[in-house]
Amino acid sequence: MYGMIGKITAAPGQRDALIALLLRGTEGMPGCLSYVVAKDAADADVLWVTEVWDSAQSHQASLQLPAVRAAITEARPLIRGFEKTAETVPAGGVGLPA
Amino acid sequence: MYGMIGKITAAPGQRDALIALLLRGTEGMPGCLSYVVAKDAADADVLWVTEVWDSAQSHQASLQLPAVRAAITEARPLIRGFEKTAETVPAGGVGLPA
């Protein structure tokens, strides 16, 4: 499995709009086992994306899906910063295949 | 919903043993919507825990479950460092209830 933890800083006041974009078109992404978009509880401009895929290839391929490309294009102006906090190798857990 | 992203540094050579402990007894934790234990892809001693709960109360209550308490007690000697990277308010995503 392949995992990623990303920290995104939204343009001021744009976090909710950005979250809506990031959640749009995420159904039916082949190989996606978990994809969570969450507000940082302390910083009103920060959100976190934590992802688990069956492989790094599936993750890469998802970036070419029309719905994902459109969402990324629309989201760009709302993003002030992006930090890839970690790339991971998920070992297991609740909500993942055993 | 309540979410947490934690970075754990294992004692040298103890990451796999620690992962096994952290995954043990995680089935059937009331209110747990997602709980992923993952190796950092770059640092051989680091692992990440990303969690989503239906509420902060459910997360707190889980820490009192016998299986979780036992796992934490056994895990302590294998942990060199713990950093709560973020507490979050999950907005949605793949693998979570709509």
Side-chain angles (χ1 to χ4, degrees):
Chain A
M1 291 189 274
Y2 168 82
M4 199 272 286
I5 299 171
K7 177 180 179 180
I8 300 175
T9 304
Q14 296 299 325
R15 183 169 67 174
D16 286 341
L18 187 51
I19 287 173
L21 276 172
L22 293 173
L23 289 177
R24 201 181 72 196
T26 54
E27 313 77 23
M29 297 190 292
C32 181
L33 303 174
S34 175
Y35 174 89
V36 176
V37 179
K39 298 177 180 180
D40 187 281
D43 187 326
D45 290 332
V46 171
L47 62 96
W48 296 85
V49 179
T50 53
E51 309 182 28
V52 177
W53 297 80
D54 60 0
S55 69
Q57 291 72 16
S58 292
H59 172 250
Q60 276 304 324
S62 74
L63 301 176
Q64 301 311 318
L65 294 169
V68 173
R69 288 173 66 113
I72 290 173
T73 304
E74 280 185 62
R76 248 193 210 107
L78 308 184
I79 295 174
R80 196 151 49 97
F82 172 75
E83 175 195 324
K84 188 178 283 185
T85 303
E87 284 189 307
T88 70
V89 181
V94 174
L96 294 182
Chain B
M1 290 189 276
Y2 168 82
M4 200 272 287
I5 300 171
K7 177 180 179 180
I8 300 175
T9 304
Q14 296 299 325
R15 183 170 65 173
D16 287 342
L18 187 50
I19 287 173
L21 277 171
L22 292 173
L23 288 177
R24 201 181 71 196
T26 54
E27 313 77 22
M29 298 190 293
C32 181
L33 304 174
S34 175
Y35 174 90
V36 177
V37 180
K39 298 177 180 180
D40 187 282
D43 186 327
D45 290 332
V46 170
L47 62 96
W48 296 84
V49 179
T50 52
E51 309 182 30
V52 177
W53 297 79
D54 60 1
S55 69
Q57 291 72 17
S58 291
H59 172 250
Q60 277 303 325
S62 74
L63 302 177
Q64 302 311 318
L65 294 168
V68 173
R69 287 173 67 111
I72 290 173
T73 303
E74 280 186 61
R76 252 197 204 103
L78 308 184
I79 295 174
R80 197 150 49 97
F82 172 74
E83 174 195 323
K84 188 179 282 185
T85 303
E87 285 189 306
T88 69
V89 181
V94 174
L96 294 181

